[in-house]
Amino acid sequence: IITSIPKWLEDKQKFAGLIEAFFEEAVRNSIAHENDKQIILSENNNDLWARCENCGNMLHIKFSKQNKSVCEERGNHLSMESMERIEPSIDPNTWIPLDEDTISKDVLSFCDEESYENCLIRSQEKTGLPEAIQTSIGYSNGTLIAPSVMDFQFMGGSMGSTVGEKITRLIEYDTQKLLPLVLEGTVSLMQMAKISSALHYYQVKKKLLYISILTYPTTGGVTASFGMLGDIIIAESKAYIAFSGKRVIEETLGQKVPDGFQLAEALFENGLLDLIVPRIFIKGVLSKISYLYPSVPYKKI
């Protein structure tokens, strides 16, 4: 038995090398690029493998989704669709979507490389969603909350008039029903004043709880408005959070920007965030905060 151990280790090493060679060959022959992330496709075009864009580790899609799209190698958080964020955070069979029939219209007949209307149709077909945000109510570990999640797959999570309207309606609904509000934000630029005004009444006048969850990426108008206005601001690990990108800042200021200064960890060290919470613990943290919220002293002032 003792003499067989070195042979067993040698065979295992050879086998691991064969597996790695298989992966590398698959990467060379059948890589599809989507959102700068490499996806290996099978012959019937179903996603099988993904390469972590941070550490390069190969991830099986099925097991990766079971692990909430967190890389097992170094804990890097991969991008997720909006429903993939909603389902783990809400108790089964309690999620109720709001304003699903509210969709954008191309009233200006705007056209760049293609018309805005075609962009909308393509995003709707790609994601199965009517808009770049899903607003809803549901229970998180038995506590009723109002979660809203933006979807980067829908035109980069652009916050157009309909997205702004849906967020505002959700805030007004929560104000009326006295519900804790949870917004997960990504990219945006417009509708900032409208949403901020509704939040001011919700938070200051009614003294209601608003939790902001910043995911990868949170930029533009989301950062400049509701993303950073939460009573409690939570970020996922290594989430990219900024108003302008590194390249734009360097070109504008003529100065070199340190690497990593726009990641969640750097912002936390500088006091811009309250918590950095791994994705697998988000539901527990939300439900705990929402459970304690009714007893906080400032509500009784």
Side-chain angles (χ1 to χ4, degrees), residues 14-33:
K14 288 180 179 178
F15 181 73
L18 290 173
I19 294 295
E20 180 65 24
F22 170 79
F23 285 154
E24 293 301 324
E25 182 67 21
V27 170
R28 285 192 296 269
N29 294 336
S30 57
I31 290 181
H33 295 275

Side-chain angles (χ1 to χ4, degrees), residues 60-109:
H60 193 284
I61 294 293
K62 178 181 178 181
F63 299 131
S64 177
K65 288 186 176 180
Q66 292 176 352
N67 200 38
K68 296 180 175 58
S69 295
V70 176
C71 175
E72 296 181 357
E73 185 74 17
R74 297 183 181 178
N76 295 315
H77 287 50
L78 282 69
S79 59
M80 297 177 73
E81 299 174 358
S82 55
M83 281 308 304
E84 291 178 313
R85 294 188 178 279
I86 291 171
E87 290 175 350
S89 302
I90 302 299
D91 299 342
N93 303 318
T94 67
W95 180 69
I96 302 175
L98 302 175
D99 297 313
E100 286 188 296
D101 57 344
T102 305
I103 59 175
S104 294
K105 293 183 178 180
D106 186 15
V107 295
L108 299 177
S109 299

Side-chain angles (χ1 to χ4, degrees), residues 143-267:
T143 301
L144 184 62
I145 63 173
S148 175
V149 180
M150 300 187 74
D151 199 312
F152 188 76
Q153 302 299 319
F154 195 107
M155 297 179 65
S158 178
M159 192 166 74
S161 60
T162 301
V163 170
E165 178 66 19
K166 291 185 68 171
I167 295 175
T168 303
R169 288 187 185 183
L170 180 67
I171 296 170
E172 292 173 344
Y173 178 87
D174 295 348
T175 302
Q176 181 182 3
K177 301 295 184 180
L178 306 179
L179 295 178
L181 172 67
V182 181
L183 295 180
E184 291 195 31
T186 52
V187 181
S188 156
L189 188 58
M190 305 300 290
Q191 302 295 311
M192 294 160 30
K194 178 179 181 178
I195 295 173
S196 298
S197 176
L199 274 174
H200 176 79
Y201 183 80
Y202 175 89
Q203 294 172 282
V204 178
K205 301 297 184 180
K206 292 296 185 178
K207 294 184 172 60
L208 297 173
L209 174 66
Y210 165 41
I211 302 172
S212 175
I213 301 177
L214 309 183
T215 62
Y216 184 98
T218 300
T219 64
V222 166
T223 308
S225 60
F226 70 85
M228 305 303 291
L229 291 177
D231 298 302
I232 299 175
I233 302 175
I234 299 173
E236 288 187 341
S237 176
K238 295 183 174 63
Y240 178 76
I241 303 166
F243 178 72
S244 298
K246 179 180 178 181
R247 177 183 58 82
V248 174
I249 296 174
E250 290 180 338
E251 291 178 354
T252 302
L253 300 180
Q255 297 180 1
K256 181 69 175 177
V257 173
D259 292 333
F261 91 111
Q262 291 174 312
L263 296 182
E265 286 71 12
L267 271 65

